[in-house]
Amino acid sequence: MKQLLPALPLILGFLLDCAVGDPYNIPHPVKLIGRLIGGLEKLVRKHMRDLRTGGILLGLTVIVLSTVLPLVLLVICYHISIILGIAAETIMCCYMLAAKCLCSESMKVCKAAESGDTEVARKAVSMIVGRDTAVLDKDGIVRAAVETVAENASDGVTAPLFYMGLGGAVGAFFYKSVNTMDSMIGYRDEKYADIGRFAAKLDDVLNFIPSRMTALLMAASAPLAGLDGRNAFRIWKRDRKNHASPNSAQTESVCAGALHVRLAGDAWYFGKLHKKPYIGDDDRPVKPEDIRLANRLMYLSSVLMLIISAAARCFILGGLL
């Protein structure tokens, strides 16, 4: 029975996230990491001419602080009591997952679109995507929501679970520190090309395996969600490289294939049009219900990743207990 204890915080943390999500009135660790990144970015820009070297120092500092602090806290908690340790690690694991938040925020778009209120849907989708939403019509709004659920299924749920399997909550903090840096400074424009290069490249490396695992788990989950698993796998093989990022199109292509819709394509960012290839076939128009189906696919694939990660955690640490 003791050999199952290492997986308990992962399982309980996942269930807690599914049940309650992120409390808005309590400081979130990822927001604290974001403030750290923002503060260090200002220091680097002010005191260093070589922004590429500064970006490396920034990245290493964020990773060390974001990993060591939760590690020390967990060591103290487990030293006091294994129950206290499991409780603390459960809460940490919950904070590192975003399934409930992703579902709740995307479903606001779904419900507004279903009711015909395009402006409310536009405002809701602007909270979860980085593109300019003012130019989107109703189909574009729905498509953007489906895309962000598909992409963030990996970034926000299955990838943290993957690293929990390797290193518990501390592994998830390590991953999330890099992923947060990438989302804040990992752009390829003139402002961030140098200072964010290290974060962007490291995020690509860390997400390489989880994104592909998630894509395969999504394809396996598709029939359970009442979707087309065979077409999901076909579109994944064909379109998984149709993105500037080596990882983003992995899950988007599976979702597009499972739903029989076309995603991606040209998009506006900060007033500038970015030309992008399409992902999937235009078999039918997108509809608000596709957001609900994408979330179903996200949850099913997340459960499969949880099982794999829990088994890995037991295998890694089970013999030590």
Side-chain angles (χ1 to χ4, degrees), residues 3 10 76 108 111 139 193 223 307:
Q3 291 183 336
L10 279 67
I76 294 172
K108 291 178 183 178
K111 292 174 182 177
D139 286 352
I307 294 170

Side-chain angles (χ1 to χ4, degrees), residues 277-320:
Y278 287 109
I279 296 173
D281 294 328
D282 194 18
D283 294 336
R284 63 171 180 81
V286 293
K287 53 187 179 181
E289 173 68 11
D290 291 327
I291 301 173
R292 187 175 284 107
L293 293 173
N295 276 301
R296 189 180 302 170
L297 200 57
M298 178 269 291
Y299 271 117
L300 288 170
S301 56
S302 297
V303 169
L304 294 180
M305 181 66 87
L306 174 64
I307 294 170
I308 294 171
S309 298
R313 194 70 182 143
C314 289
F315 177 79
I316 293 171
L317 286 183
L320 299 178

Side-chain angles (χ1 to χ4, degrees), residues 73-93:
L73 179 59
L74 282 180
V75 168
I76 294 172
C77 289
Y78 273 110
H79 180 74
I80 296 173
S81 165
I82 191 169
I83 295 177
L84 179 60
I86 290 174
E89 190 166 14
T90 294
I91 294 172
M92 287 184 180
C93 287

Side-chain angles (χ1 to χ4, degrees), residues 139 142-147 150 227-228 231-232 234-236 238-239 242 251-265 277-291 293-294 297:
D139 286 352
V142 171
R143 189 179 298 110
V146 172
E147 288 172 19
L227 302 173
D228 192 339
N231 196 57
R234 181 182 71 85
I235 296 297
W236 172 72
R238 192 191 73 186
D239 294 349
N242 286 6
T251 49
E252 284 188 40
S253 58
V254 170
C255 189
L259 294 170
H260 280 273
V261 298
R262 189 170 68 177
L263 302 176
Y278 287 109
I279 296 173
D281 294 328
D282 194 18
D283 294 336
R284 63 171 180 81
V286 293
K287 53 187 179 181
E289 173 68 11
D290 291 327
I291 301 173
L293 293 173
L297 200 57

Side-chain angles (χ1 to χ4, degrees), residues 211-283:
S211 65
R212 285 152 180 80
M213 283 184 64
T214 305
L216 294 175
L217 294 176
M218 276 189 168
S221 302
L224 300 176
L227 302 173
D228 192 339
R230 180 174 296 182
N231 196 57
F233 187 71
R234 181 182 71 85
I235 296 297
W236 172 72
K237 289 196 299 180
R238 192 191 73 186
D239 294 349
R240 67 185 185 274
K241 296 181 181 179
N242 286 6
H243 200 285
S245 164
N247 303 317
S248 294
Q250 300 291 328
T251 49
E252 284 188 40
S253 58
V254 170
C255 189
L259 294 170
H260 280 273
V261 298
R262 189 170 68 177
L263 302 176
D266 299 348
W268 290 83
Y269 293 88
F270 306 108
K272 183 178 180 180
L273 178 64
H274 290 252
K275 307 294 288 185
K276 296 183 177 183
Y278 287 109
I279 296 173
D281 294 328
D282 194 18
D283 294 336

Side-chain angles (χ1 to χ4, degrees), residues 25-45:
N25 57 344
I26 300 177
H28 197 291
V30 174
K31 290 184 179 180
L32 297 178
I33 293 173
R35 291 178 184 176
L36 174 63
I37 295 167
L40 290 175
E41 180 189 351
K42 292 179 181 178
L43 286 176
V44 168
R45 291 188 183 279

